[in-house]
Amino acid sequence: MEPISWPYPVVRLKPGKEELLAKGHPWVYSGALAAPPTAPLARLADASGNVLGVGTASPVSPLAVRLFRREDQPLDEAFFRQRLERALEARRMLGLDGPEAGCRWVFGEGDLLPGLVVDRYAQALVVQVGTAGLEALRPVWWPVLQELGRAAGISVYVERSQGGRKEEGLEPVNRILKGSLGGPVDIREGAALLSVDLLKGQKTGFFLDQREHRLALGRISSGCRVLNAFGYTGGFSIHAGLGGAAEVATLDSSGPALDQAGRDWARNGLDPDRHVRMEGDAFELMRTLEAASYDRVIVDPPALAKQRKDLDKAFKAYKDLIRLGARATAPGGILGCFSCSRHLDRARFQEAAWTALLEAGREAQVLAHLGQPMDHPYALNHPEGAYLKGLWLRVI
Ligand code: SAH
């Protein structure tokens, strides 16, 4: 696709619709526009024609404009270089990037690059392009990303789909952009060696956002019986095992994910007899577990509220899962429960946990409020970017 040449078409707001933008929010919904965008890139102007900023645009998505910059300037190579370098600099400063690391290099709006996600898995990068505007700009940012990748020792580039593509009228993608893969890629996470299937794994292959919580579980698992519900490829399980857990059960509905969990367990030198595979639906399987039989329990479901309208149903689902998790937890044990649905805010999540514990007839202390790690930043003026929340609860 040819890059659209500067100046991009002007898209005007309806009178009085500048308010959220004035607070720095990068999104404009179609209802705020005088007329829908006609191209994937736009100069956004107020009702009297003053340009307020420049960004990507969609004629079809309700999220019509995402602002990248607030000057009347193009999204050119120098722009992408500066934003990408700034993103990388943060990860390096925080000690998160490295040749064996799993680390999110770019997190969309949080890195002032709306719609773009880039995850590093050792020598590979996985890119997710969420908007038609970024597709149109691919000839601009892709060479810059490769240049930064080369300097960091990256030799493989993979592209995976992102939820947003459908709303923008884009086809799903799942392909190698450059280089080749002989199978899953290995990353180091603390003491654990974890393998990530970049083409067949969920999302970009792995859930980097739970890194800190997996490490924390490893520190508190010595001698424990551990249940890892929604365990995917066993990240939490392996950290618990390396931390000296007596026995770890990984529960997931995905057979291939559990196969990999078993392989990775063994690759980390852990005794296969101490790992229990539980394949099936967590809502059903957790009901069948003996009450109070685990010292540490993780409940980390996928986003159960994909849209705002799902919220009430999702609230009940989180509550049910946390109740089942609490029921499985031995007195004095620790339950880590999470939600990655951005539509369910922290207050409602905590309310779900509270209701769950009441229903389970158990009391609990909040040991910590949990959130996203530092390679998943969100912009203060874009609170929607805060999606992950969790609690370490001591269940009494
Ligand atoms: N805790 C994991 C990430 C979990 S992602 C980690 O640290 O890597 C959510 C997982 O839930 C996925 O592996 C998915 O296969 C699984 N899943 C989705 N619905 C499920 C269900 N109803 N029962 C059990 N597992 C489910």
Side-chain angles (χ1 to χ4, degrees):
M1 209 187 292
E2 283 298 303
I4 297 176
S5 56
W6 179 259
Y8 315 143
V10 170
V11 171
R12 280 199 197 211
L13 289 168
K14 287 178 184 160
K17 291 289 182 187
E18 309 82 13
E19 202 177 323
L20 247 188
L21 279 181
K23 290 184 179 157
H25 203 284
W27 289 353
V28 181
Y29 285 96
S30 51
L33 297 177
T38 53
L41 300 171
R43 296 159 70 219
L44 182 74
D46 64 16
S48 28
N50 303 311
V51 175
L52 304 170
V54 174
T56 58
S58 169
V60 289
S61 170
L63 212 175
V65 178
R66 305 188 197 207
L67 280 190
F68 278 56
R69 62 190 307 179
R70 282 165 190 274
E71 314 93 332
D72 191 9
Q73 298 284 331
L75 306 180
D76 55 11
E77 189 195 311
F79 167 82
F80 275 101
R81 185 179 302 281
Q82 191 225 27
R83 292 277 156 104
L84 289 169
E85 276 177 353
R86 190 193 289 165
L88 259 176
E89 190 185 293
R91 278 66 182 176
R92 290 191 178 135
M93 171 187 77
L94 296 164
L96 293 171
D97 192 37
E100 299 189 297
C103 171
R104 178 153 290 191
W105 268 17
V106 179
F107 185 35
E109 278 78 353
D111 284 298
L112 311 180
L113 289 166
L116 183 66
V117 168
V118 182
D119 282 348
R120 179 196 192 143
Y121 296 106
Q123 74 278 21
L125 286 189
V126 182
V127 182
Q128 289 180 316
V129 177
T131 64
L134 280 170
E135 287 291 359
L137 289 167
R138 199 183 277 258
V140 182
W141 56 261
W142 170 234
V144 183
L145 186 64
Q146 284 182 85
E147 195 185 313
L148 295 173
R150 210 174 302 125
I154 302 293
S155 55
V156 184
Y157 296 80
V158 172
E159 179 167 4
R160 298 291 305 266
S161 282
Q162 188 190 103
R165 284 181 76 84
K166 213 166 148 197
E167 280 93 78
E168 296 253 338
L170 299 170
E171 293 295 317
V173 282
N174 193 13
R175 56 176 173 169
I176 296 183
L177 293 169
K178 195 179 167 187
S180 61
L181 281 171
V185 163
D186 289 338
I187 60 166
R188 280 260 163 223
E189 187 176 80
L193 180 67
L194 303 172
S195 53
V196 182
D197 194 325
L198 306 184
L199 288 169
K200 291 195 224 104
Q202 297 181 28
K203 303 279 168 93
T204 66
F206 195 54
F207 296 89
L208 291 170
D209 54 3
Q210 287 285 21
R211 176 195 310 114
E212 293 301 325
H213 309 137
R214 287 187 288 260
L215 290 165
L217 181 70
R219 292 191 292 269
I220 57 169
S221 289
S222 181
C224 291
R225 275 173 58 85
V226 179
L227 171 68
N228 178 15
F230 302 92
Y232 189 46
T233 51
F236 275 103
S237 304
I238 290 160
H239 280 286
L242 292 171
E247 185 185 295
V248 182
T250 308
L251 188 168
D252 204 280
S253 56
S254 160
L258 288 173
D259 291 343
Q260 199 185 302
R263 284 194 297 271
D264 276 8
W265 178 272
R267 282 181 78 209
N268 279 275
L270 296 164
D271 176 0
D273 291 342
R274 289 196 289 134
H275 187 234
V276 180
R277 175 194 172 109
M278 288 188 189
E279 182 175 343
D281 178 18
F283 290 88
E284 288 172 16
L285 267 181
M286 287 177 75
R287 279 176 222 278
T288 67
L289 300 173
E290 194 186 328
S293 53
Y294 292 93
D295 309 296
R296 306 287 178 262
V297 175
I298 299 294
V299 177
D300 182 26
L304 300 172
K306 294 233 162 28
Q307 290 171 298
R308 192 163 288 283
K309 65 174 173 53
D310 305 332
L311 221 106
D312 288 338
K313 231 170 77 195
F315 179 88
K316 184 176 175 305
Y318 283 110
K319 185 207 69 182
D320 287 347
L321 287 173
I322 300 171
R323 185 188 68 241
L324 292 169
R327 183 179 160 276
T329 309
I334 291 176
L335 168 64
C337 49
F338 300 92
S339 162
C340 57
S341 301
R342 75 173 158 87
H343 299 293
L344 185 81
D345 65 24
R346 241 170 223 285
R348 285 227 72 198
F349 175 66
Q350 187 158 335
E351 196 186 321
W354 182 3
T355 314
L357 270 287
L358 278 176
E359 286 183 6
R362 305 284 291 277
E363 293 196 52
Q365 299 166 296
V366 175
L367 301 179
H369 282 264
L370 309 170
Q372 293 155 227
M374 292 188 200
D375 54 343
H376 291 60
Y378 69 94
L380 265 184
N381 50 23
H382 179 252
E384 292 86 346
Y387 68 99
L388 183 64
K389 54 241 143 232
L391 295 166
W392 283 128
L393 296 175
R394 182 157 184 258
V395 182
I396 298 159

